[in-house]
Amino acid sequence: MTTLWNFVRKYEFWFLLLLFIGLEFGRNQTGQWWIGFLATLVLVTAIMRLSSHPMWKKDEEKGG
């Protein structure tokens, strides 16, 4: 279980993106509006998590 959790944390953006795709597929199959809302929420969360990723902060550490 620890290995799975470490994998999800390492590839968090891609995991959330796959979750978004799955939810959108489910919305298209079932026609339920709340699944689409949840998919949009997951996508926004994925983008926000990616924007706060440490790789974007490397320039700030160098003073540039």
Short mmCIF file of all heavy atoms in Angstrom, two decimals:
data_model
loop_
_atom_site.label_atom_id
_atom_site.label_comp_id
_atom_site.label_asym_id
_atom_site.label_seq_id
_atom_site.Cartn_x
_atom_site.Cartn_y
_atom_site.Cartn_z
N MET A 1 0.82 -1.19 0.00
CA MET A 1 0.00 0.00 0.00
C MET A 1 0.87 1.26 0.00
O MET A 1 0.53 2.23 -0.64
CB MET A 1 -0.91 -0.04 1.22
CG MET A 1 -1.98 0.98 1.18
SD MET A 1 -3.12 0.57 -0.13
CE MET A 1 -4.33 1.77 0.10
N THR A 2 1.98 1.21 0.72
CA THR A 2 2.88 2.36 0.75
C THR A 2 3.48 2.62 -0.62
O THR A 2 3.61 3.78 -1.03
CB THR A 2 4.01 2.11 1.78
OG1 THR A 2 3.41 1.84 3.04
CG2 THR A 2 4.91 3.31 1.90
N THR A 3 3.81 1.57 -1.33
CA THR A 3 4.37 1.72 -2.67
C THR A 3 3.37 2.38 -3.60
O THR A 3 3.72 3.27 -4.38
CB THR A 3 4.79 0.35 -3.22
OG1 THR A 3 5.68 -0.27 -2.30
CG2 THR A 3 5.46 0.49 -4.56
N LEU A 4 2.12 1.96 -3.52
CA LEU A 4 1.07 2.55 -4.36
C LEU A 4 0.87 4.03 -4.02
O LEU A 4 0.77 4.87 -4.92
CB LEU A 4 -0.23 1.78 -4.17
CG LEU A 4 -1.43 2.31 -4.94
CD1 LEU A 4 -1.18 2.21 -6.44
CD2 LEU A 4 -2.68 1.57 -4.54
N TRP A 5 0.85 4.36 -2.74
CA TRP A 5 0.66 5.75 -2.33
C TRP A 5 1.83 6.62 -2.78
O TRP A 5 1.64 7.74 -3.22
CB TRP A 5 0.47 5.83 -0.82
CG TRP A 5 0.24 7.23 -0.34
CD1 TRP A 5 1.05 7.96 0.45
CD2 TRP A 5 -0.87 8.07 -0.67
NE1 TRP A 5 0.52 9.21 0.66
CE2 TRP A 5 -0.66 9.31 -0.02
CE3 TRP A 5 -2.01 7.91 -1.45
CZ2 TRP A 5 -1.55 10.36 -0.13
CZ3 TRP A 5 -2.89 8.98 -1.56
CH2 TRP A 5 -2.65 10.18 -0.90
N ASN A 6 3.07 6.11 -2.67
CA ASN A 6 4.24 6.86 -3.14
C ASN A 6 4.18 7.09 -4.64
O ASN A 6 4.56 8.15 -5.12
CB ASN A 6 5.52 6.13 -2.76
CG ASN A 6 5.81 6.23 -1.28
OD1 ASN A 6 5.32 7.12 -0.60
ND2 ASN A 6 6.58 5.29 -0.77
N PHE A 7 3.68 6.10 -5.38
CA PHE A 7 3.54 6.24 -6.83
C PHE A 7 2.52 7.33 -7.16
O PHE A 7 2.76 8.17 -8.03
CB PHE A 7 3.13 4.91 -7.45
CG PHE A 7 2.93 4.97 -8.94
CD1 PHE A 7 4.01 4.92 -9.79
CD2 PHE A 7 1.65 5.09 -9.47
CE1 PHE A 7 3.84 4.99 -11.15
CE2 PHE A 7 1.47 5.16 -10.83
CZ PHE A 7 2.56 5.11 -11.68
N VAL A 8 1.39 7.31 -6.47
CA VAL A 8 0.35 8.31 -6.71
C VAL A 8 0.86 9.71 -6.37
O VAL A 8 0.62 10.66 -7.10
CB VAL A 8 -0.93 7.98 -5.90
CG1 VAL A 8 -1.90 9.13 -5.91
CG2 VAL A 8 -1.58 6.72 -6.45
N ARG A 9 1.59 9.84 -5.28
CA ARG A 9 2.13 11.15 -4.90
C ARG A 9 3.18 11.64 -5.89
O ARG A 9 3.27 12.83 -6.17
CB ARG A 9 2.72 11.10 -3.50
CG ARG A 9 1.64 11.06 -2.44
CD ARG A 9 2.18 11.04 -1.04
NE ARG A 9 3.15 12.07 -0.81
CZ ARG A 9 4.15 11.97 0.06
NH1 ARG A 9 4.29 10.87 0.77
NH2 ARG A 9 4.99 12.94 0.24
N LYS A 10 3.99 10.72 -6.43
CA LYS A 10 5.04 11.11 -7.36
C LYS A 10 4.46 11.58 -8.69
O LYS A 10 4.92 12.55 -9.28
CB LYS A 10 5.99 9.93 -7.59
CG LYS A 10 7.15 10.27 -8.49
CD LYS A 10 8.12 9.11 -8.59
CE LYS A 10 9.30 9.47 -9.47
NZ LYS A 10 10.22 8.35 -9.61
N TYR A 11 3.45 10.87 -9.16
CA TYR A 11 2.83 11.20 -10.45
C TYR A 11 1.42 11.74 -10.23
O TYR A 11 0.49 11.37 -10.92
CB TYR A 11 2.79 9.96 -11.34
CG TYR A 11 4.17 9.44 -11.65
CD1 TYR A 11 4.66 8.29 -11.03
CD2 TYR A 11 5.00 10.10 -12.54
CE1 TYR A 11 5.93 7.82 -11.30
CE2 TYR A 11 6.26 9.64 -12.82
CZ TYR A 11 6.72 8.50 -12.19
OH TYR A 11 7.98 8.05 -12.47
N GLU A 12 1.29 12.66 -9.30
CA GLU A 12 -0.01 13.16 -8.87
C GLU A 12 -0.78 13.82 -10.01
O GLU A 12 -1.98 13.57 -10.20
CB GLU A 12 0.20 14.16 -7.74
CG GLU A 12 -1.06 14.73 -7.19
CD GLU A 12 -0.77 15.65 -6.02
OE1 GLU A 12 0.39 16.00 -5.78
OE2 GLU A 12 -1.73 16.03 -5.36
N PHE A 13 -0.12 14.66 -10.80
CA PHE A 13 -0.81 15.34 -11.89
C PHE A 13 -1.36 14.35 -12.89
O PHE A 13 -2.51 14.46 -13.32
CB PHE A 13 0.14 16.33 -12.58
CG PHE A 13 -0.47 16.93 -13.81
CD1 PHE A 13 -1.43 17.91 -13.70
CD2 PHE A 13 -0.08 16.53 -15.07
CE1 PHE A 13 -2.01 18.48 -14.83
CE2 PHE A 13 -0.64 17.09 -16.20
CZ PHE A 13 -1.60 18.06 -16.09
N TRP A 14 -0.56 13.38 -13.28
CA TRP A 14 -1.00 12.40 -14.28
C TRP A 14 -2.10 11.51 -13.73
O TRP A 14 -3.03 11.13 -14.45
CB TRP A 14 0.18 11.57 -14.77
CG TRP A 14 1.19 12.43 -15.44
CD1 TRP A 14 2.44 12.71 -14.99
CD2 TRP A 14 1.03 13.18 -16.66
NE1 TRP A 14 3.06 13.58 -15.86
CE2 TRP A 14 2.22 13.88 -16.88
CE3 TRP A 14 -0.02 13.32 -17.56
CZ2 TRP A 14 2.40 14.71 -17.99
CZ3 TRP A 14 0.16 14.14 -18.66
CH2 TRP A 14 1.35 14.82 -18.86
N PHE A 15 -2.04 11.19 -12.44
CA PHE A 15 -3.09 10.41 -11.81
C PHE A 15 -4.41 11.18 -11.83
O PHE A 15 -5.46 10.63 -12.17
CB PHE A 15 -2.69 10.07 -10.37
CG PHE A 15 -3.71 9.29 -9.62
CD1 PHE A 15 -3.90 7.94 -9.86
CD2 PHE A 15 -4.51 9.91 -8.67
CE1 PHE A 15 -4.86 7.22 -9.17
CE2 PHE A 15 -5.47 9.20 -7.97
CZ PHE A 15 -5.64 7.85 -8.23
N LEU A 16 -4.36 12.45 -11.47
CA LEU A 16 -5.58 13.27 -11.49
C LEU A 16 -6.10 13.47 -12.90
O LEU A 16 -7.31 13.50 -13.12
CB LEU A 16 -5.32 14.62 -10.81
CG LEU A 16 -5.13 14.57 -9.30
CD1 LEU A 16 -4.69 15.93 -8.78
CD2 LEU A 16 -6.39 14.10 -8.60
N LEU A 17 -5.19 13.58 -13.87
CA LEU A 17 -5.62 13.73 -15.26
C LEU A 17 -6.32 12.46 -15.75
O LEU A 17 -7.35 12.54 -16.42
CB LEU A 17 -4.42 14.05 -16.15
CG LEU A 17 -4.74 14.52 -17.56
CD1 LEU A 17 -5.50 15.83 -17.51
CD2 LEU A 17 -3.47 14.69 -18.35
N LEU A 18 -5.80 11.30 -15.40
CA LEU A 18 -6.47 10.05 -15.77
C LEU A 18 -7.82 9.92 -15.07
O LEU A 18 -8.79 9.42 -15.65
CB LEU A 18 -5.58 8.85 -15.44
CG LEU A 18 -4.40 8.63 -16.36
CD1 LEU A 18 -3.53 7.50 -15.84
CD2 LEU A 18 -4.87 8.34 -17.77
N LEU A 19 -7.89 10.38 -13.83
CA LEU A 19 -9.16 10.37 -13.11
C LEU A 19 -10.17 11.28 -13.80
O LEU A 19 -11.35 10.93 -13.94
CB LEU A 19 -8.93 10.81 -11.66
CG LEU A 19 -10.11 10.73 -10.72
CD1 LEU A 19 -10.61 9.29 -10.60
CD2 LEU A 19 -9.71 11.26 -9.37
N PHE A 20 -9.73 12.43 -14.26
CA PHE A 20 -10.59 13.35 -15.00
C PHE A 20 -11.12 12.70 -16.28
O PHE A 20 -12.31 12.77 -16.57
CB PHE A 20 -9.81 14.63 -15.34
CG PHE A 20 -10.48 15.48 -16.39
CD1 PHE A 20 -11.59 16.24 -16.06
CD2 PHE A 20 -10.01 15.51 -17.68
CE1 PHE A 20 -12.21 17.01 -17.03
CE2 PHE A 20 -10.62 16.28 -18.65
CZ PHE A 20 -11.73 17.04 -18.32
N ILE A 21 -10.24 12.04 -17.02
CA ILE A 21 -10.66 11.38 -18.25
C ILE A 21 -11.68 10.29 -17.96
O ILE A 21 -12.69 10.15 -18.67
CB ILE A 21 -9.44 10.83 -19.01
CG1 ILE A 21 -8.59 12.00 -19.53
CG2 ILE A 21 -9.85 9.91 -20.15
CD1 ILE A 21 -7.23 11.58 -20.06
N GLY A 22 -11.44 9.52 -16.91
CA GLY A 22 -12.39 8.47 -16.54
C GLY A 22 -13.74 9.03 -16.14
O GLY A 22 -14.79 8.47 -16.50
N LEU A 23 -13.74 10.13 -15.40
CA LEU A 23 -15.00 10.74 -14.99
C LEU A 23 -15.75 11.32 -16.20
O LEU A 23 -16.98 11.22 -16.28
CB LEU A 23 -14.76 11.83 -13.95
CG LEU A 23 -14.43 11.33 -12.55
CD1 LEU A 23 -13.96 12.49 -11.68
CD2 LEU A 23 -15.62 10.64 -11.93
N GLU A 24 -15.03 11.92 -17.12
CA GLU A 24 -15.68 12.44 -18.32
C GLU A 24 -16.27 11.31 -19.16
O GLU A 24 -17.37 11.43 -19.70
CB GLU A 24 -14.69 13.25 -19.17
CG GLU A 24 -14.51 14.66 -18.70
CD GLU A 24 -15.78 15.49 -18.82
OE1 GLU A 24 -16.51 15.37 -19.84
OE2 GLU A 24 -16.07 16.24 -17.89
N PHE A 25 -15.56 10.21 -19.26
CA PHE A 25 -16.09 9.04 -19.96
C PHE A 25 -17.35 8.54 -19.26
O PHE A 25 -18.35 8.21 -19.92
CB PHE A 25 -15.03 7.94 -20.02
CG PHE A 25 -15.48 6.72 -20.76
CD1 PHE A 25 -15.56 6.73 -22.14
CD2 PHE A 25 -15.83 5.57 -20.07
CE1 PHE A 25 -15.98 5.61 -22.83
CE2 PHE A 25 -16.26 4.45 -20.74
CZ PHE A 25 -16.35 4.46 -22.13
N GLY A 26 -17.33 8.49 -17.95
CA GLY A 26 -18.50 8.07 -17.19
C GLY A 26 -19.67 9.02 -17.37
O GLY A 26 -20.83 8.59 -17.46
N ARG A 27 -19.40 10.31 -17.44
CA ARG A 27 -20.46 11.29 -17.66
C ARG A 27 -21.09 11.09 -19.03
O ARG A 27 -22.31 11.14 -19.19
CB ARG A 27 -19.93 12.71 -17.56
CG ARG A 27 -21.01 13.77 -17.72
CD ARG A 27 -20.45 15.16 -17.82
NE ARG A 27 -19.54 15.33 -18.94
CZ ARG A 27 -19.94 15.60 -20.20
NH1 ARG A 27 -21.21 15.70 -20.49
NH2 ARG A 27 -19.05 15.76 -21.16
N ASN A 28 -20.26 10.84 -20.03
CA ASN A 28 -20.79 10.62 -21.38
C ASN A 28 -21.62 9.34 -21.45
O ASN A 28 -22.60 9.28 -22.19
CB ASN A 28 -19.66 10.56 -22.40
CG ASN A 28 -19.05 11.92 -22.66
OD1 ASN A 28 -19.70 12.93 -22.46
ND2 ASN A 28 -17.80 11.93 -23.08
N GLN A 29 -21.24 8.33 -20.72
CA GLN A 29 -21.97 7.06 -20.75
C GLN A 29 -23.28 7.12 -19.98
O GLN A 29 -24.27 6.55 -20.40
CB GLN A 29 -21.09 5.93 -20.18
CG GLN A 29 -19.90 5.60 -21.04
CD GLN A 29 -20.29 5.04 -22.40
OE1 GLN A 29 -21.17 4.21 -22.51
NE2 GLN A 29 -19.63 5.52 -23.43
N THR A 30 -23.28 7.81 -18.84
CA THR A 30 -24.46 7.81 -17.99
C THR A 30 -25.34 9.03 -18.18
O THR A 30 -26.54 8.97 -17.91
CB THR A 30 -24.07 7.73 -16.50
OG1 THR A 30 -23.33 8.90 -16.16
CG2 THR A 30 -23.27 6.48 -16.21
N GLY A 31 -24.75 10.16 -18.59
CA GLY A 31 -25.53 11.38 -18.74
C GLY A 31 -25.81 12.10 -17.44
O GLY A 31 -26.63 13.01 -17.39
N GLN A 32 -25.14 11.71 -16.37
CA GLN A 32 -25.34 12.35 -15.06
C GLN A 32 -24.52 13.63 -14.99
O GLN A 32 -23.32 13.63 -15.22
CB GLN A 32 -24.92 11.40 -13.94
CG GLN A 32 -25.72 10.14 -13.87
CD GLN A 32 -27.14 10.41 -13.43
OE1 GLN A 32 -27.40 11.27 -12.59
NE2 GLN A 32 -28.07 9.68 -14.01
N TRP A 33 -25.16 14.76 -14.66
CA TRP A 33 -24.48 16.05 -14.65
C TRP A 33 -23.44 16.14 -13.55
O TRP A 33 -22.43 16.81 -13.69
CB TRP A 33 -25.48 17.19 -14.52
CG TRP A 33 -26.20 17.19 -13.21
CD1 TRP A 33 -27.38 16.56 -12.94
CD2 TRP A 33 -25.76 17.80 -11.99
NE1 TRP A 33 -27.71 16.76 -11.62
CE2 TRP A 33 -26.74 17.52 -11.01
CE3 TRP A 33 -24.66 18.56 -11.63
CZ2 TRP A 33 -26.65 17.97 -9.70
CZ3 TRP A 33 -24.56 19.01 -10.33
CH2 TRP A 33 -25.54 18.72 -9.39
N TRP A 34 -23.67 15.50 -12.41
CA TRP A 34 -22.77 15.64 -11.27
C TRP A 34 -21.42 14.99 -11.53
O TRP A 34 -20.41 15.40 -10.95
CB TRP A 34 -23.40 15.11 -9.99
CG TRP A 34 -23.69 13.63 -10.01
CD1 TRP A 34 -24.83 13.03 -10.43
CD2 TRP A 34 -22.80 12.59 -9.62
NE1 TRP A 34 -24.71 11.68 -10.31
CE2 TRP A 34 -23.49 11.38 -9.83
CE3 TRP A 34 -21.50 12.56 -9.12
CZ2 TRP A 34 -22.91 10.15 -9.55
CZ3 TRP A 34 -20.93 11.34 -8.83
CH2 TRP A 34 -21.62 10.15 -9.05
N ILE A 35 -21.38 14.00 -12.40
CA ILE A 35 -20.09 13.38 -12.73
C ILE A 35 -19.24 14.37 -13.52
O ILE A 35 -18.03 14.47 -13.31
CB ILE A 35 -20.30 12.07 -13.50
CG1 ILE A 35 -21.06 11.06 -12.64
CG2 ILE A 35 -18.96 11.48 -13.92
CD1 ILE A 35 -21.41 9.77 -13.36
N GLY A 36 -19.85 15.13 -14.41
CA GLY A 36 -19.14 16.17 -15.14
C GLY A 36 -18.63 17.26 -14.22
O GLY A 36 -17.52 17.78 -14.39
N PHE A 37 -19.44 17.64 -13.23
CA PHE A 37 -19.02 18.63 -12.25
C PHE A 37 -17.82 18.13 -11.46
O PHE A 37 -16.85 18.86 -11.24
CB PHE A 37 -20.18 18.96 -11.31
CG PHE A 37 -19.80 19.89 -10.20
CD1 PHE A 37 -19.63 21.25 -10.44
CD2 PHE A 37 -19.59 19.41 -8.92
CE1 PHE A 37 -19.27 22.10 -9.42
CE2 PHE A 37 -19.22 20.27 -7.90
CZ PHE A 37 -19.07 21.62 -8.14
N LEU A 38 -17.86 16.87 -11.04
CA LEU A 38 -16.76 16.28 -10.30
C LEU A 38 -15.50 16.20 -11.17
O LEU A 38 -14.39 16.45 -10.70
CB LEU A 38 -17.15 14.89 -9.80
CG LEU A 38 -16.17 14.20 -8.86
CD1 LEU A 38 -15.95 15.02 -7.61
CD2 LEU A 38 -16.69 12.82 -8.50
N ALA A 39 -15.67 15.89 -12.46
CA ALA A 39 -14.54 15.84 -13.38
C ALA A 39 -13.89 17.22 -13.51
O ALA A 39 -12.66 17.33 -13.52
CB ALA A 39 -14.99 15.32 -14.75
N THR A 40 -14.70 18.25 -13.60
CA THR A 40 -14.16 19.62 -13.69
C THR A 40 -13.42 19.99 -12.41
O THR A 40 -12.34 20.60 -12.46
CB THR A 40 -15.30 20.61 -13.94
OG1 THR A 40 -16.00 20.23 -15.12
CG2 THR A 40 -14.77 22.02 -14.10
N LEU A 41 -13.95 19.60 -11.28
CA LEU A 41 -13.29 19.86 -10.01
C LEU A 41 -11.94 19.14 -9.93
O LEU A 41 -10.95 19.72 -9.47
CB LEU A 41 -14.20 19.42 -8.86
CG LEU A 41 -13.73 19.74 -7.45
CD1 LEU A 41 -13.66 21.25 -7.25
CD2 LEU A 41 -14.66 19.11 -6.44
N VAL A 42 -11.87 17.91 -10.40
CA VAL A 42 -10.62 17.16 -10.41
C VAL A 42 -9.61 17.83 -11.34
O VAL A 42 -8.43 17.94 -11.02
CB VAL A 42 -10.86 15.69 -10.81
CG1 VAL A 42 -9.57 14.97 -11.13
CG2 VAL A 42 -11.61 14.96 -9.71
N LEU A 43 -10.07 18.30 -12.51
CA LEU A 43 -9.17 18.96 -13.45
C LEU A 43 -8.60 20.26 -12.85
O LEU A 43 -7.40 20.51 -12.95
CB LEU A 43 -9.89 19.27 -14.76
CG LEU A 43 -9.03 19.93 -15.83
CD1 LEU A 43 -7.91 19.02 -16.27
CD2 LEU A 43 -9.88 20.35 -17.00
N VAL A 44 -9.43 21.04 -12.20
CA VAL A 44 -8.96 22.28 -11.57
C VAL A 44 -7.96 21.96 -10.46
O VAL A 44 -6.93 22.62 -10.32
CB VAL A 44 -10.15 23.10 -11.04
CG1 VAL A 44 -9.69 24.23 -10.15
CG2 VAL A 44 -10.98 23.63 -12.19
N THR A 45 -8.24 20.91 -9.70
CA THR A 45 -7.31 20.49 -8.65
C THR A 45 -5.98 20.07 -9.24
O THR A 45 -4.91 20.43 -8.73
CB THR A 45 -7.92 19.33 -7.83
OG1 THR A 45 -9.16 19.76 -7.29
CG2 THR A 45 -6.99 18.92 -6.72
N ALA A 46 -6.00 19.33 -10.33
CA ALA A 46 -4.77 18.88 -10.99
C ALA A 46 -3.95 20.07 -11.48
O ALA A 46 -2.73 20.11 -11.30
CB ALA A 46 -5.09 17.95 -12.15
N ILE A 47 -4.61 21.05 -12.07
CA ILE A 47 -3.89 22.23 -12.57
C ILE A 47 -3.31 23.04 -11.42
O ILE A 47 -2.16 23.50 -11.48
CB ILE A 47 -4.83 23.09 -13.44
CG1 ILE A 47 -5.15 22.33 -14.73
CG2 ILE A 47 -4.21 24.43 -13.75
CD1 ILE A 47 -6.23 22.97 -15.56
N MET A 48 -4.06 23.19 -10.34
CA MET A 48 -3.55 23.93 -9.19
C MET A 48 -2.37 23.21 -8.54
O MET A 48 -1.40 23.85 -8.12
CB MET A 48 -4.66 24.14 -8.16
CG MET A 48 -5.76 25.05 -8.64
SD MET A 48 -5.18 26.68 -9.12
CE MET A 48 -4.69 27.32 -7.55
N ARG A 49 -2.43 21.89 -8.45
CA ARG A 49 -1.32 21.13 -7.87
C ARG A 49 -0.09 21.23 -8.77
O ARG A 49 1.04 21.31 -8.29
CB ARG A 49 -1.72 19.67 -7.68
CG ARG A 49 -2.81 19.46 -6.66
CD ARG A 49 -2.39 19.80 -5.27
NE ARG A 49 -1.34 18.88 -4.85
CZ ARG A 49 -0.53 19.09 -3.83
NH1 ARG A 49 -0.65 20.17 -3.12
NH2 ARG A 49 0.38 18.22 -3.51
N LEU A 50 -0.29 21.21 -10.08
CA LEU A 50 0.84 21.34 -11.00
C LEU A 50 1.46 22.73 -10.92
O LEU A 50 2.67 22.88 -10.97
CB LEU A 50 0.39 21.05 -12.44
CG LEU A 50 1.49 21.07 -13.48
CD1 LEU A 50 2.51 19.97 -13.21
CD2 LEU A 50 0.91 20.93 -14.86
N SER A 51 0.63 23.75 -10.74
CA SER A 51 1.17 25.11 -10.67
C SER A 51 1.97 25.35 -9.39
O SER A 51 2.84 26.23 -9.37
CB SER A 51 0.04 26.13 -10.77
OG SER A 51 -0.77 26.09 -9.62
N SER A 52 1.70 24.59 -8.34
CA SER A 52 2.47 24.76 -7.11
C SER A 52 3.62 23.76 -6.99
O SER A 52 4.21 23.63 -5.93
CB SER A 52 1.55 24.63 -5.90
OG SER A 52 1.04 23.31 -5.81
N HIS A 53 3.92 23.09 -8.09
CA HIS A 53 4.99 22.10 -8.09
C HIS A 53 6.35 22.78 -7.90
O HIS A 53 6.57 23.87 -8.42
CB HIS A 53 4.98 21.32 -9.41
CG HIS A 53 5.78 20.06 -9.36
ND1 HIS A 53 7.13 20.05 -9.60
CD2 HIS A 53 5.42 18.79 -9.09
CE1 HIS A 53 7.57 18.81 -9.48
NE2 HIS A 53 6.54 18.03 -9.17
N PRO A 54 7.28 22.16 -7.18
CA PRO A 54 8.58 22.78 -6.92
C PRO A 54 9.40 23.05 -8.18
O PRO A 54 10.28 23.90 -8.15
CB PRO A 54 9.30 21.76 -6.04
CG PRO A 54 8.26 20.92 -5.44
CD PRO A 54 7.10 20.93 -6.40
N MET A 55 9.13 22.37 -9.29
CA MET A 55 9.93 22.61 -10.49
C MET A 55 9.77 24.02 -11.01
O MET A 55 10.65 24.55 -11.68
CB MET A 55 9.59 21.59 -11.58
CG MET A 55 8.31 21.82 -12.29
SD MET A 55 8.15 20.62 -13.59
CE MET A 55 6.50 20.95 -14.09
N TRP A 56 8.64 24.68 -10.71
CA TRP A 56 8.44 26.05 -11.15
C TRP A 56 9.16 27.04 -10.26
O TRP A 56 9.32 28.20 -10.62
CB TRP A 56 6.95 26.39 -11.17
CG TRP A 56 6.14 25.48 -12.01
CD1 TRP A 56 5.16 24.65 -11.57
CD2 TRP A 56 6.23 25.28 -13.42
NE1 TRP A 56 4.63 23.95 -12.61
CE2 TRP A 56 5.27 24.32 -13.76
CE3 TRP A 56 7.02 25.80 -14.43
CZ2 TRP A 56 5.08 23.88 -15.06
CZ3 TRP A 56 6.83 25.37 -15.74
CH2 TRP A 56 5.87 24.44 -16.03
N LYS A 57 9.62 26.61 -9.11
CA LYS A 57 10.26 27.51 -8.16
C LYS A 57 11.78 27.50 -8.25
O LYS A 57 12.45 28.16 -7.50
CB LYS A 57 9.82 27.15 -6.74
CG LYS A 57 8.34 27.32 -6.56
CD LYS A 57 7.89 26.89 -5.20
CE LYS A 57 6.37 27.04 -5.11
NZ LYS A 57 5.86 26.50 -3.89
N LYS A 58 12.34 26.78 -9.20
CA LYS A 58 13.79 26.70 -9.34
C LYS A 58 14.40 28.04 -9.72
O LYS A 58 15.47 28.39 -9.24
CB LYS A 58 14.18 25.64 -10.39
CG LYS A 58 13.94 24.24 -9.91
CD LYS A 58 14.36 23.25 -10.96
CE LYS A 58 14.10 21.83 -10.46
NZ LYS A 58 14.41 20.84 -11.47
N ASP A 59 13.73 28.82 -10.56
CA ASP A 59 14.24 30.12 -10.97
C ASP A 59 14.29 31.10 -9.80
O ASP A 59 15.16 31.93 -9.71
CB ASP A 59 13.42 30.70 -12.10
CG ASP A 59 13.59 29.93 -13.41
OD1 ASP A 59 14.63 29.25 -13.54
OD2 ASP A 59 12.71 30.00 -14.26
N GLU A 60 13.32 31.01 -8.91
CA GLU A 60 13.28 31.90 -7.76
C GLU A 60 14.45 31.62 -6.81
O GLU A 60 14.96 32.55 -6.19
CB GLU A 60 11.96 31.73 -7.02
CG GLU A 60 10.77 32.19 -7.83
CD GLU A 60 9.46 31.88 -7.13
OE1 GLU A 60 9.50 31.40 -5.98
OE2 GLU A 60 8.40 32.12 -7.74
N GLU A 61 14.87 30.37 -6.71
CA GLU A 61 15.99 30.03 -5.83
C GLU A 61 17.29 30.60 -6.35
O GLU A 61 18.17 30.97 -5.58
CB GLU A 61 16.10 28.52 -5.70
CG GLU A 61 14.94 27.87 -4.97
CD GLU A 61 15.01 26.36 -5.03
OE1 GLU A 61 15.94 25.82 -5.67
OE2 GLU A 61 14.13 25.71 -4.44
N LYS A 62 17.44 30.70 -7.66
CA LYS A 62 18.67 31.20 -8.26
C LYS A 62 18.73 32.72 -8.27
O LYS A 62 19.74 33.30 -8.60
CB LYS A 62 18.80 30.67 -9.70
CG LYS A 62 18.97 29.18 -9.77
CD LYS A 62 19.04 28.73 -11.20
CE LYS A 62 19.12 27.20 -11.27
NZ LYS A 62 19.09 26.72 -12.65
N GLY A 63 17.61 33.34 -7.94
CA GLY A 63 17.60 34.80 -7.89
C GLY A 63 17.25 35.42 -9.22
O GLY A 63 17.43 36.60 -9.43
N GLY A 64 16.71 34.62 -10.17
CA GLY A 64 16.39 35.15 -11.48
C GLY A 64 14.99 35.22 -11.71
O GLY A 64 14.06 35.66 -11.88
#
